Amino acid sequence: MKTALLLWVLLLAGLFGGLAARAQTPCVSQTGTGASFEAYDAATGQLLPKLLCVGRPVRLRDRSGRTLDPAQIYYRQGATTICTGFTDTTTTFISTLAGPLVITQNTQGTPGVSQGIIFSKTYEVLQASPPAFTLSVCSPGLVQVTVTDASYPDYFVQVGTGPRVPALRGVAVNYPVGGGPNTVTVSGRSAQAGLCEGTSTQPFTPLPAPKAPVVRRLTLPAAGAVQLEFDALQPEYRYQLQVADAAAPGGYRNLAAVTAASPTFTLPAAPLPGCYRLLLQDQCQPPVLSLPSNEICSVQLIGAATNGRNQLSWSSAGNGTYTLTRIEGSTSVVLPLQPGATSYDDAAGSCGTTYRYQVSLSSGPATSISNEISLTALSTTPPARPRLWAGFNLRNQVEVRAEVPGLASGGRLSYLRNGAPLTTTPARRLLDSLVTPNPAVPLCYAVEFQDACGNRAPAGAGVCVVQLVAEAASPNGPEIRLTWSALTATGPDPATPVSYRVLGLAADNAVVSSVAVGAVLTYLDLQPDPNRQTVRYRIEARGAGLPEPSYSNVAEVARPVKLVLPTAFTPNGDGLNDVLELKGRFLDSFRFTIIDRNGQTVFQTTDRTRSWDGRIKGATPVPGAYAWQFEAFDQQGRGVKQYGTVTILR
């Protein structure tokens, strides 16, 4: 029992003694003890003297030359030398953080010495980050790579599966596009570690075949500015706007870079006059690939207003076909030009009217539009004598229309009625509603004209319109008599004899009858329409030098609604005067009522074809006097009433 206890104490003493051999106080690396180890790249076996790489496996190997038990060689990694906590005998590890790293080795001491040996070495762990670079696709068959990264001392570039070649930082280098995928891979490597490398890959799309740009249009939107319009540009290339300059290399001088995103480009302060083109260039090596567009030249237009004409001239360094346009308001007119003409006299303008002009030059696919100029026409020549037409419309307003030959608008027209001013206006049409037709008093209109330059036309034309009066020829007869005043006109057109036509009108003013009456000024309508209570007339007059008929006012005669009844009738069955019949004119809408002496209604109708046989509720007629009442509306909606008596005789 005592022997077993002694052995247990000795075992514990040996265990604690072994642990003590692996501790050292103070904790420093013990140099000069023969302890040593090295770090190697686990994949290649390359010795790593001072530098390690994040993420790359490292293998540690004892290099003391002593015969040691591998199960008792311990390693730890940390920020400083470590003297305790050794339990790991693994010799391979992977660094995860960049920066200084201390690797401590703990091995057995020399024979007979119970204390272990602490030995440490300091390494620098490098981060293998993807290197940054820019990539431009070039033509033909090239890519341009610029390494912008600053993390590594050495860089390499590989295009597709092509060779991996060294590259300098910050230098744009063109590389040929070889086989394999369309990718560029840039690698960065630490020179000391040799194995510490980061890579970055970018794909690219080879450029399409370049096409020469096409300039379609040149305009001058503002003073000193030029705007160009192009066909769609290829965004894979860059473009340069140029102007022809004999002193520049190649005969053209660069003005501005143009982006392919927009089909238009405006140059605010452009050299004018000038001939322009657009130059397509490779992104990497402009001198190697340059395709020019067609050339388009600016056009300069000048002009001056002189007496009776606007004088225009233009110039351009380009060749092609010119088109001159005159703009008045929203109306554009292309003016006729002789081939090769560079000037034009426009004599078609109206005095005081402002016209705008532009000239365009068409050359191949391009059109160049000049600056726009505005000229106000001048003249000292009096305008032509105005022409005048006048007549009544269907609303019994006098419509007056003036025409100034060669001047569709503008100027001032002074309208007069019977010599008194009505109004002054540029309008060629006037309505006069303040008239009451009276054939006995002439109703005459005249017009005077002054153009926008203050020139007065010769004395204008005058028209005396036809005024119509219609009335019943007799109180009881159907005849209607018409009387009207004569149409007269003075003016620049030769006068022709005047002839008249009597027009009968329906209620909606449709013409229902027409009678030519020659040159007379009166007409008797012997047979007016018996079914129309109100008859309407209008006179059509032709001649007197007027270009179209002139019409009189609409005159109407409203004939009264009238009921005609006998004062007695004899309902005795002898066949003579046996019934009371309703007779009269225009019995369209009425109510006829007969009342006996007691005030009782004995007969009533709204139909003129009905008659009364004197019976009351089928009984034999009773002789005596009966009162009647007639209520009606005429064709104009006015109420009419008549009263009377009728007597039944035996």
Side-chain angles (χ1 to χ4, degrees):
M1 182 66 178
K2 289 182 179 180
T3 302
L5 180 60
L6 178 59
L7 290 173
W8 176 247
V9 171
L10 290 174
L11 287 172
L12 289 177
L15 176 61
F16 285 114
L19 291 176
R22 293 169 178 78
Q24 175 68 33
T25 302
C27 187
V28 295
S29 177
Q30 296 173 266
T31 59
T33 60
S36 178
F37 67 91
E38 296 290 352
Y40 299 86
D41 182 72
T44 64
Q46 180 179 338
L47 176 65
L48 305 175
K50 290 294 184 181
L51 299 175
L52 308 179
C53 301
V54 171
R56 192 168 183 93
V58 175
R59 179 168 294 162
L60 302 174
R61 181 181 301 170
D62 180 70
R63 303 297 289 175
S64 65
R66 296 182 295 153
T67 302
L68 299 175
D69 182 2
Q72 295 191 31
I73 301 176
Y74 299 90
Y75 294 97
R76 289 196 65 184
Q77 297 86 37
T80 61
T81 301
I82 302 173
C83 294
T84 60
F86 289 95
T87 60
D88 190 358
T89 60
T90 302
T91 59
T92 301
F93 74 96
I94 298 175
S95 297
T96 59
L97 296 175
L101 177 68
V102 177
I103 301 176
T104 303
Q105 182 191 53
N106 186 348
T107 59
Q108 304 100 324
T110 57
V113 179
S114 61
Q115 201 171 37
I117 300 174
I118 297 296
F119 179 73
S120 64
K121 295 176 71 173
T122 301
Y123 293 84
E124 182 72 21
V125 181
L126 302 179
Q127 175 69 51
S129 59
F133 68 96
T134 60
L135 171 63
S136 297
V137 184
C138 312
S139 179
L142 296 174
V143 291
Q144 186 177 85
V145 179
T146 304
V147 178
T148 58
D149 192 77
S151 303
Y152 300 94
D154 298 316
Y155 295 92
F156 301 87
V157 172
Q158 183 181 26
V159 180
T161 57
R164 181 169 140 139
V165 296
L168 296 177
R169 179 189 301 118
V171 179
V173 179
N174 296 331
Y175 299 90
V177 176
N182 294 321
T183 59
V184 171
T185 300
V186 173
S187 304
R189 175 186 294 175
S190 170
Q192 291 179 306
L195 299 174
C196 201
E197 182 177 290
T199 61
S200 180
T201 299
Q202 292 186 36
F204 66 88
T205 301
L207 293 186
K211 296 185 295 185
V214 177
V215 182
R216 288 291 178 185
R217 190 177 181 89
L218 183 151
T219 56
L220 306 175
V226 166
Q227 184 178 76
L228 297 165
E229 299 179 19
F230 323 109
D231 282 356
L233 303 179
Q234 295 173 279
E236 299 85 1
Y237 297 91
R238 71 180 189 179
Y239 295 88
Q240 187 70 231
L241 179 64
Q242 298 182 317
V243 65
D245 185 347
Y252 286 89
R253 172 166 50 91
N254 288 342
L255 293 176
V258 175
T259 63
S262 173
T264 63
F265 181 81
T266 300
L267 190 65
L272 289 170
C275 294
Y276 301 86
R277 74 177 188 179
L278 194 63
L279 188 67
L280 175 147
Q281 294 180 316
D282 182 61
Q283 297 279 11
C284 309
Q285 40 187 5
V288 175
L289 177 65
S290 294
L291 289 178
S293 72
N294 56 305
E295 186 180 75
I296 186 168
C297 300
S298 64
V299 182
Q300 183 68 32
L301 175 64
I302 59 175
T306 61
N307 184 30
R309 64 188 60 245
N310 289 334
Q311 296 179 329
L312 307 160
S313 63
W314 54 90
S315 61
S316 175
N319 297 313
T321 302
Y322 289 106
T323 301
L324 178 62
T325 303
R326 179 182 64 208
I327 307 165
E328 181 183 1
S330 60
T331 302
S332 297
V333 177
V334 176
L335 302 176
L337 293 179
Q338 295 296 325
T342 57
S343 64
Y344 184 83
D345 283 357
D346 186 12
S350 301
C351 184
T353 301
T354 299
Y355 300 93
R356 309 194 317 272
Y357 297 90
Q358 257 187 338
V359 65
S360 63
L361 173 62
S362 297
S363 177
T367 300
S368 179
I369 309 297
S370 76
N371 55 304
E372 183 180 277
I373 63 172
S374 296
L375 297 177
T376 301
L378 302 175
S379 178
T380 58
T381 304
R385 176 182 298 178
R387 297 185 175 95
L388 191 68
W389 176 94
F392 282 91
N393 61 23
L394 290 169
R395 295 182 179 180
N396 281 352
Q397 302 167 310
V398 178
E399 181 178 342
V400 184
R401 296 201 299 268
E403 177 187 349
V404 181
L407 295 175
S409 61
R412 300 172 59 198
L413 290 160
S414 297
Y415 294 94
L416 301 95
R417 184 211 300 142
N418 292 341
L422 272 177
T423 186
T424 298
T425 174
R428 269 48 176 173
R429 179 175 179 268
L430 175 72
L431 287 178
D432 184 10
S433 302
L434 303 178
V435 293
T436 301
N438 181 0
V441 179
L443 184 59
C444 301
Y445 294 85
V447 67
E448 299 173 352
F449 180 71
Q450 177 178 304
D451 67 21
C453 293
N455 303 309
R456 289 188 173 275
V463 177
C464 296
V465 298
V466 178
Q467 301 179 83
L468 171 65
V469 171
E471 56 188 357
S474 63
N476 296 317
E479 299 85 358
I480 303 294
R481 182 174 299 280
L482 308 178
T483 305
W484 58 90
S485 62
L487 171 70
T488 61
T490 59
D493 298 317
T496 55
V498 180
S499 61
Y500 301 96
R501 181 175 292 273
V502 177
L503 304 178
L505 304 180
D508 61 356
N509 292 320
V511 176
V512 295
S513 64
S514 175
V515 179
V517 296
V520 301
L521 301 178
T522 184
Y523 177 74
L524 180 63
D525 189 358
L526 298 175
Q527 294 181 333
D529 188 343
N531 296 317
R532 288 190 295 127
Q533 181 225 338
T534 300
V535 289
R536 297 159 57 84
Y537 299 92
R538 194 186 194 196
I539 303 300
E540 177 187 275
R542 293 178 179 268
L546 298 184
E548 60 183 271
S550 177
Y551 293 91
S552 75
N553 56 296
V554 176
E556 62 182 32
V557 176
R559 296 177 287 179
V561 175
K562 187 173 183 181
L563 176 68
V564 178
L565 286 179
T567 57
F569 70 107
T570 57
N572 53 16
D574 62 358
L576 299 174
N577 201 23
D578 282 336
V579 294
L580 179 67
E581 295 180 313
L582 303 183
K583 297 181 180 181
R585 295 187 304 182
F586 317 117
L587 305 182
D588 297 326
S589 177
F590 70 92
R591 182 174 61 189
F592 178 74
T593 305
I594 297 178
I595 304 170
D596 65 12
R597 67 182 61 189
N598 297 318
Q600 299 297 315
T601 297
V602 297
F603 178 77
Q604 190 174 71
T605 184
T606 58
D607 182 358
R608 65 180 300 175
T609 62
R610 286 189 60 194
S611 58
W612 185 43
D613 59 3
R615 296 177 181 275
I616 301 173
K617 297 181 180 180
T620 302
V622 177
Y626 294 83
W628 58 264
Q629 176 179 291
F630 176 75
E631 299 171 293
F633 289 95
D634 66 13
Q635 292 176 356
Q636 294 181 333
R638 294 173 297 193
V640 176
K641 289 186 179 182
Q642 286 182 243
Y643 303 93
T645 59
V646 62
T647 301
I648 295 178
L649 302 175
R650 293 188 182 276

